[in-house]
Amino acid sequence: MRDFIERFEMGEENYLPHISIDCVIFGLSDDALKVLLLKVKDTESWVLPGGYVEKDESIEDAALHILRDRTGLSNIYLQQFNTTGSSGRSFPEDIKVICKSLGVKWTPDLWANKRFISIGYYALIDIEKCKPTGGDLDQEYSWIDMHRLPRLMMDHKDILLKAYESLKISLSNQPVGINLLPEKFTMPELQKMYEIILDKSIERSHFQKKMLRFDIFERLEERREGVPHKRPFLYRFDEKKYRDGVKKGARFDV
Amino acid sequence: MRDFIERFEMGEENYLPHISIDCVIFGLSDDALKVLLLKVKDTESWVLPGGYVEKDESIEDAALHILRDRTGLSNIYLQQFNTTGSSGRSFPEDIKVICKSLGVKWTPDLWANKRFISIGYYALIDIEKCKPTGGDLDQEYSWIDMHRLPRLMMDHKDILLKAYESLKISLSNQPVGINLLPEKFTMPELQKMYEIILDKSIERSHFQKKMLRFDIFERLEERREGVPHKRPFLYRFDEKKYRDGVKKGARFDV
DNA sequence: GCAAAAGTGTTTGATATACACCCATGC
DNA sequence: GCATGGGTGTATATCAAACACTTTTGC
């Protein structure tokens, strides 16, 4: 694991200047879409997990490193959604607060105070598989409901909302949402996922028929056990069938 | 108009380091989707119109400046589609060739040789309204058929293909294609635009019914004159109706 | 008159929507 | 037994796809 604070202090030598990576990590729990946020010590403000790009590292690898540090996961579904770079995009006052919380010396001419262009990625993960950590920063972290966001530093709320819009559009045309679920899932679970993210209710019978018509889910012999009422079948996403469908020009609109 | 060569020679002082903007400018002509490319003097290679970001300029403004310089147009439909930044993304040999064609001195430690992160924008324009110029570079330019691309320098072909994929996806869900047409257009013209870009034929009657059901086009009294055969009606895009439709959750899938 | 393109209508099958029915489970 | 959620079936409206018919224009 990289020692972030040490590298941060020598940021001018280690990182590409003026460029940052911000990650929006989505997960599902308690029937809600959640986002992993970090609390800045001694404040009531939160930030997105983020970092910088090493001079010999791709921007995607930089995002993957951030994700691995925060979630303990590799093999993550990752999607670049937006790069934001308005002309005066620098936040020296916020950086000051963050430096204080990290125990790092802040000066007015610190490299991190400069104007930054942020490359945004969102990740979709199965929250059960994830072991979140404060990373090297030993920060407080929390999975926070998309619809009950706290105050976020810098322009991270704008970035987060853009990620959410982007996710909704993707989910409407592609079955990316399966990355939020365990490998085996039921149709009601799949439906709930769509309903939560797209924020609308879907008719049960219609949903099942549509999904099965896509012909990208394999129904298993097993059923979900240990639940009340009738036990729903388990399904598994069939990557190959999906790719074949895409090749043939099939659509997966919800 | 900015003197690009002068600013390029002092690039280290004028621009954000390691960041470039590449623009894919799409237009329609001769029943084909075309892209504005610049020919590098004394070579058989082409490049995308591009540039760098001034230290006090937003990335979107940087793209708009490039577009204005190349097309003479402002008020352009502009869409950011991808940021590419693999770890070794530097092209000193290509930069050398480009410098030569610009009449600019090249050295191995030139700022432009360094690793660059490219922010990609595509623009949709009415090719008739456009007065393309080589810009300050006095380069040869050409509208080139998307399906007959020449050799492109650096990784510009990858960038171009990503822009095209992104355009196709957008066009499948949103009526962005109207930006490629004049203000007044006929249904057959609209249909042709979809057929060209999505690279598939669409049934005439079905297309008209679907488009009119969207309820975002206003049929005018006039018809397209000076054409053989029956004269088709002219239509105009109704921005307000479209926004209302989006608000109400209407879909515009083609 | 003829060919070609455009507007419109018709037919058939597929999908969307709403709802009904039965089944399995925990209490 | 009863409430609840899940699987499946049915009826109707809407839409997709293919095609036919009519109109309008240039030649």
Side-chain angles (χ1 to χ4, degrees):
Chain A
M1 207 181 238
R2 302 178 298 168
D3 188 347
F4 180 76
I5 291 181
E6 218 168 79
R7 296 196 69 76
F8 182 87
E9 283 173 330
M10 307 286 279
E12 245 167 325
E13 285 151 47
N14 293 319
Y15 301 128
L16 290 181
H18 301 284
I19 295 166
S20 61
I21 304 281
D22 288 301
C23 292
V24 180
I25 309 174
F26 289 113
L28 287 176
S29 79
D30 307 322
D31 288 350
L33 181 64
K34 308 248 173 146
V35 177
L36 186 67
L37 293 179
L38 307 178
K39 187 154 181 291
V40 180
K41 227 188 285 180
D42 308 322
T43 73
E44 288 306 311
S45 287
W46 300 71
V47 291
L48 290 169
Y52 305 98
V53 183
E54 306 266 347
K55 290 192 169 168
D56 63 348
E57 178 187 50
S58 76
I59 54 175
E60 185 164 325
D61 283 342
L64 288 169
H65 282 152
I66 292 163
L67 290 167
R68 208 184 44 201
D69 288 355
R70 298 303 178 186
T71 66
L73 296 174
S74 27
N75 268 16
I76 285 182
Y77 178 84
L78 187 63
Q79 180 65 51
Q80 189 193 298
F81 65 92
N82 185 249
T83 296
T84 155
S86 46
S87 62
R89 196 181 172 282
S90 68
F91 306 95
E93 287 308 313
D94 290 324
I95 296 293
K96 194 191 227 170
V97 173
I98 290 169
C99 281
K100 199 176 168 192
S101 88
L102 294 179
V104 170
K105 185 166 174 285
W106 180 88
T107 56
D109 61 338
L110 184 70
W111 63 277
N113 290 336
K114 296 231 171 76
R115 174 199 172 173
F116 270 78
I117 288 175
S118 155
I119 305 171
Y121 285 88
Y122 69 78
L124 304 181
I125 64 153
D126 175 5
I127 222 165
E128 296 298 325
K129 284 203 197 111
C130 170
K131 308 259 174 279
T133 68
D136 313 80
L137 310 187
D138 204 27
Q139 284 163 295
E140 190 188 332
Y141 63 83
S142 187
W143 289 101
I144 293 188
D145 192 321
M146 260 307 294
H147 292 101
R148 293 170 187 210
L149 294 175
R151 201 156 66 83
L152 285 150
M153 279 189 149
M154 303 180 270
D155 56 358
H156 283 193
K157 186 167 274 185
D158 297 335
I159 292 174
L160 210 169
L161 293 176
K162 274 211 172 180
Y164 181 42
E165 288 309 312
S166 188
L167 168 62
K168 280 198 278 189
I169 290 171
S170 283
L171 188 65
S172 300
N173 321 308
Q174 295 165 269
V176 292
I178 51 149
N179 294 292
L180 293 162
L181 301 175
E183 199 197 330
K184 299 174 181 182
F185 50 85
T186 68
M187 277 293 147
E189 285 161 8
L190 189 67
Q191 179 176 344
K192 195 100 205 169
M193 181 270 290
Y194 276 97
E195 291 183 325
I196 289 168
I197 298 176
L198 300 179
D199 201 21
K200 64 172 187 190
S201 66
I202 306 174
E203 205 278 323
R204 198 163 51 90
S205 161
H206 176 216
F207 179 82
Q208 289 228 17
K209 283 175 209 155
K210 173 140 79 177
M211 286 297 148
L212 295 179
R213 234 184 297 116
F214 287 166
D215 193 29
I216 56 176
F217 300 111
E218 178 195 2
R219 183 197 268 194
L220 308 176
E221 295 299 318
E222 326 162 56
R223 292 162 183 262
R224 170 79 67 218
E225 302 292 334
V227 293
H229 319 303
K230 190 170 180 178
R231 287 166 181 173
F233 285 106
L234 284 168
Y235 291 84
R236 185 162 39 203
F237 178 65
D238 189 327
E239 180 82 32
K240 188 183 174 307
K241 279 191 173 181
Y242 173 61
R243 275 201 297 262
D244 288 350
V246 170
K247 246 184 260 170
K248 285 176 196 154
R251 298 276 293 254
F252 302 96
D253 295 338
V254 179
Chain B
M1 206 179 239
R2 303 179 298 171
D3 188 347
F4 180 76
I5 291 181
E6 219 169 77
R7 296 196 70 76
F8 182 88
E9 283 173 331
M10 307 286 279
E12 245 167 327
E13 286 152 47
N14 292 319
Y15 301 128
L16 290 182
H18 301 285
I19 295 166
S20 61
I21 304 281
D22 288 301
C23 291
V24 180
I25 309 174
F26 288 113
L28 287 175
S29 77
D30 306 323
D31 287 349
L33 181 64
K34 307 249 172 142
V35 177
L36 187 66
L37 293 179
L38 307 177
K39 188 157 181 288
V40 180
K41 228 188 284 179
D42 307 322
T43 74
E44 288 307 311
S45 289
W46 299 71
V47 290
L48 290 169
Y52 305 97
V53 183
E54 307 265 346
K55 289 190 172 171
D56 63 347
E57 179 188 49
S58 76
I59 54 175
E60 185 164 323
D61 282 343
L64 287 170
H65 282 153
I66 292 163
L67 290 167
R68 208 182 45 200
D69 288 355
R70 298 301 178 188
T71 66
L73 296 174
S74 27
N75 268 17
I76 284 181
Y77 178 85
L78 187 63
Q79 180 66 51
Q80 189 193 298
F81 65 92
N82 186 248
T83 296
T84 156
S86 47
S87 62
R89 196 180 172 280
S90 67
F91 306 95
E93 288 307 311
D94 289 324
I95 296 292
K96 193 190 227 171
V97 173
I98 290 169
C99 280
K100 198 176 169 193
S101 88
L102 295 179
V104 169
K105 186 164 173 286
W106 179 88
T107 56
D109 61 339
L110 184 69
W111 63 278
N113 290 336
K114 296 231 171 75
R115 175 200 172 172
F116 270 77
I117 289 175
S118 155
I119 306 171
Y121 285 88
Y122 70 78
L124 304 180
I125 65 153
D126 175 6
I127 222 165
E128 296 297 325
K129 285 204 196 109
C130 170
K131 307 258 175 283
T133 69
D136 313 81
L137 311 186
D138 204 26
Q139 283 163 298
E140 189 186 334
Y141 62 84
S142 188
W143 288 100
I144 292 186
D145 192 323
M146 261 307 294
H147 292 100
R148 294 174 185 204
L149 293 176
R151 199 156 67 80
L152 285 151
M153 279 189 149
M154 303 180 268
D155 56 359
H156 282 193
K157 186 167 274 183
D158 297 335
I159 292 174
L160 210 169
L161 293 176
K162 274 211 170 178
Y164 181 43
E165 287 310 311
S166 187
L167 168 61
K168 280 198 278 190
I169 291 170
S170 283
L171 188 65
S172 299
N173 322 308
Q174 296 166 271
V176 292
I178 52 151
N179 295 292
L180 292 162
L181 301 175
E183 199 197 332
K184 299 175 183 181
F185 50 85
T186 68
M187 278 293 149
E189 285 159 8
L190 189 68
Q191 178 175 344
K192 194 101 207 169
M193 181 270 290
Y194 277 96
E195 291 183 325
I196 289 168
I197 297 176
L198 301 179
D199 201 21
K200 66 174 185 187
S201 66
I202 307 174
E203 206 277 324
R204 199 163 50 90
S205 162
H206 176 217
F207 179 82
Q208 289 227 17
K209 283 174 209 155
K210 171 138 81 178
M211 286 297 148
L212 295 180
R213 234 184 299 118
F214 286 167
D215 194 30
I216 56 176
F217 300 111
E218 177 195 3
R219 184 197 267 194
L220 307 177
E221 295 300 316
E222 327 160 56
R223 292 163 183 260
R224 171 77 67 219
E225 302 292 333
V227 291
H229 319 301
K230 192 171 179 176
R231 287 164 181 174
F233 285 104
L234 284 168
Y235 290 83
R236 186 162 40 204
F237 178 65
D238 190 328
E239 180 82 34
K240 187 182 174 307
K241 280 191 173 182
Y242 172 61
R243 275 201 297 260
D244 288 351
V246 170
K247 246 183 261 172
K248 286 175 197 156
R251 298 276 294 253
F252 303 96
D253 295 337
V254 178

